[in-house]
Amino acid sequence: MRLPATVAALVLTAVLSGCAADADEPDATPTTASSVETDLTPCPEQTDAAAAVDAPDVSLDCLGGGTLDLGRAPGVPTVVNLWASWCDPCREELPLVEQFAGLAGDRVRVLGIASQDGRPQSSAFADDAGLTFPNAFDGNGTVAAALGLRGLPHTLFVTAEGSVAHVELGEIASVDELRALVAEHLGVQL
């Protein structure tokens, strides 16, 4: 995994400034995909190619249907935003991610992962927020744990081959900041 040398300091900063699940948060116990009906966007089809060695080998059900397999290469540069319905910085950031998804078109895929949350809460929030990009469900925070991340939000920048090029810890403040991060870490100018 290619992460900056200052990851420990950034993780500590994210834990202190971002969200973290605790016992008072909504139940993160997964429910079956069929128990919640939504009009959310299903996850896209993926390539058969295995992802680069540093990608978490995790497969998740998507809130709108389908599966997101992080062990497979996405085939296009991809931004993956980890969020939760109970996380205030996530609620502030998600409209920017939605706006970026519209701007990115087919040049950069945008995916969300509802992490450390309950499926009904995640689905209801994504639906109420009008998210049009696909979102997977990771109630136990398996992806964050595999990457050694604590707190939320986090944004992963994944190459077309599936390698994690960068992890942005904490809230992204603007679409322009997200565009700059995509240009720097994925080499795509939008």
Side-chain angles (χ1 to χ4, degrees), residues 162-175:
S163 179
V164 179
H166 177 70
V167 178
E168 186 69 18
L169 304 172
E171 185 179 355
I172 294 173
S174 70
V175 173

Side-chain angles (χ1 to χ4, degrees), residues 65-156:
T67 302
L68 175 62
D69 185 349
L70 297 177
R72 292 172 42 194
V76 296
T78 302
V79 172
V80 182
N81 183 257
L82 278 66
W83 60 273
S85 65
W86 49 262
C87 169
D88 288 336
C90 301
R91 288 174 169 266
E92 295 292 324
E93 181 181 66
L94 277 170
L96 301 173
V97 177
E98 175 66 28
Q99 190 177 359
F100 177 80
L103 174 72
D106 61 357
R107 296 191 62 210
V108 176
R109 180 176 289 159
V110 178
L111 302 170
I113 297 178
S115 181
Q116 306 163 49
D117 205 348
R119 183 183 292 272
Q121 295 89 341
S122 299
S123 293
F125 177 75
D127 199 29
D128 290 347
L131 299 183
T132 61
F133 59 91
N135 283 272
F137 177 72
D138 183 15
N140 296 322
T142 305
V143 173
L147 294 169
L149 303 172
R150 296 179 49 104
L152 290 170
H154 299 297
T155 305
L156 312 177

